[in-house]
Amino acid sequence: MRDLQGKNAIVTGAASGIGLGIARALAGAGVNIMLADLRPQPLEAARQTVAALGVRAEAVTVDVSDPASVDAAGQAVRDAFGSLHIAVNNAGVAMHGTPIEQVSLEEWAWVMGVNIQGVINGIRTFVPMIRAHGQGGHVVNTGSVSSLFVREGKDQGAYAMTKYAVLALSEALEQETKDAGIGVSVLCPGGVNTAIFDSAATRPERFGGAYRRPSQEAMKTGFAEAALDPLLVGQRVVQAIRDEEFYVLTHTGERDVIGSRLDRIRAAFDRADAIMPSIAGKSGGPTATN
Ligand SMILES: NC(=O)c1ccc[n+]([C@@H]2O[C@H](COP(=O)([O-])OP(=O)(O)OC[C@H]3O[C@@H](n4cnc5c(N)ncnc54)[C@H](O)[C@@H]3O)[C@@H](O)[C@H]2O)c1
């Protein structure tokens, strides 16, 4: 999608952080925005910020983990703009600072509900709306650099698991929508200066309600100073939509550690090459190739 002027987008998690950065950057490119978020008050403030950029900006309260709520957000787009070209499934919550053995069942349900089911709900509701007009469009799913590796020492396995899922959903979606002229990007940023470490305060009642996670809040120390401005991430996303990029990276510091992970997988293939013939020989069965 090179020509964004006058197109219509929905951005989830748009009241804050990366979602607001993406909404502002898209508005700067002339895109009308439906800002969607769980929290009505910062959402209205964000809507006003985006409207001041000269595009149509509307707001809808949504819980992305609830399919009916996401359907209602889709209807709000139809009512406001008539059509949808760009869907940004961005709303997400952190689950850092807790080893996976200690993540409670409520926390698992919540982090998967928002970070995975939220993206699934967005795909189910918004992609048919983009398909419907036949002009093509674009879907951005916010993963993380944690879609590409599990950062050691941060006890963020539950979070990384959800972000790996976002990558798999995005790969599948790209394969399934390319014939319809719908591009897909997976946004994989490193540290961005947002309210992500306070996200326990946004846990909906049906997942146990708002609470405190001191082990996660402690990660805020020194984070903002080193983290990227969300508007720069938004501008990177607009570039990626124009250039139809799938992997959208913003930080390069993890290049080597992710490269090592890929090397380990390659080495496992070499090991399988070396060992499977003898195992298959012993069992008398064929060596699998897929
Ligand atoms: N900040 C980072 O360093 C970083 C890095 C990589 C990826 N991300 C990802 O970026 C995305 C945005 O996070 P952020 O850093 O801007 O954090 P943020 O907390 O500033 O913004 C997230 C927004 O999502 C909203 N939200 C939370 N639960 C919701 C729900 N159930 N339904 C609808 N909205 C909901 C919040 O109200 C908030 O406005 C997330 O998917 C996050 O995992 C963040």
Side-chain angles (χ1 to χ4, degrees):
M1 288 192 75
R2 296 212 71 82
D3 185 13
L4 300 183
Q5 184 73 37
K7 299 290 194 298
N8 306 318
I10 184 165
V11 181
T12 69
S16 171
I18 293 173
L20 180 53
I22 295 172
R24 289 168 64 195
L26 282 171
V31 177
N32 302 313
I33 312 286
M34 178 64 71
L35 294 97
D37 201 283
L38 191 64
R39 297 174 301 138
Q41 280 158 0
L43 179 61
E44 175 52 23
R47 188 198 68 75
Q48 290 177 19
T49 300
V50 173
L53 298 170
V55 296
R56 293 170 65 193
E58 303 289 340
V60 62
T61 306
V62 70
D63 179 348
V64 296
S65 68
D66 175 356
S69 178
V70 177
D71 278 345
Q75 189 57 48
V77 171
R78 281 190 205 92
D79 294 345
F81 303 144
S83 65
L84 181 67
H85 304 91
I86 300 167
V88 183
N89 296 308
N90 166 79
V93 294
M95 187 57 65
H96 298 53
T98 309
I100 52 175
E101 288 172 65
Q102 292 167 25
V103 175
S104 71
L105 290 177
E106 274 178 338
E107 288 174 319
W108 279 112
W110 172 51
V111 71
M112 292 193 289
V114 180
N115 293 8
I116 302 177
Q117 191 65 48
V119 174
I120 294 168
N121 292 337
I123 290 170
R124 287 175 53 85
T125 297
F126 305 138
V127 175
M129 291 173 63
I130 301 174
R131 279 188 193 276
H133 51 65
Q135 298 163 17
H138 205 95
V139 179
V140 179
N141 295 325
T142 300
S144 166
V145 73
S146 299
S147 297
L148 305 173
F149 83 119
V150 180
R151 194 185 298 277
E152 203 165 349
K154 297 287 183 188
D155 292 329
Q156 59 173 58
Y159 177 79
M161 180 275 270
T162 67
K163 293 300 181 177
Y164 274 50
V166 172
L167 173 56
L169 284 165
S170 304
E171 284 186 3
L173 187 66
E174 184 191 39
Q175 292 165 6
E176 294 173 17
T177 57
K178 63 181 176 211
D179 290 348
I182 301 172
V184 176
S185 297
V186 59
L187 172 63
C188 299
V192 185
N193 187 8
T194 72
I196 188 82
F197 290 135
D198 290 324
S199 54
T202 68
R203 188 170 68 167
E205 286 304 323
R206 69 196 172 88
F207 295 115
Y211 72 126
R212 298 282 309 275
R213 302 194 66 244
S215 60
Q216 180 167 290
E217 289 166 20
M219 292 182 181
K220 288 195 282 188
T221 309
F223 180 76
E225 294 74 16
L228 205 59
D229 178 344
L231 182 57
L232 297 181
V233 178
Q235 289 164 345
R236 174 77 183 91
V237 167
V238 169
Q239 184 69 51
I241 293 172
R242 286 204 167 107
D243 291 346
E244 301 202 347
E245 295 174 61
F246 179 74
Y247 287 107
V248 185
L249 303 185
T250 52
H251 298 61
T252 57
E254 284 84 11
R255 183 194 302 260
D256 289 344
V257 67
I258 292 168
S260 300
R261 178 172 178 270
L262 297 178
D263 289 345
R264 198 174 172 206
I265 294 170
R266 279 191 205 96
F269 278 113
D270 292 344
R271 174 76 176 145
D273 265 343
I275 203 128
M276 285 310 290
S278 66
I279 290 176
K282 276 180 210 149
S283 70
T287 302
T289 54
N290 56 30

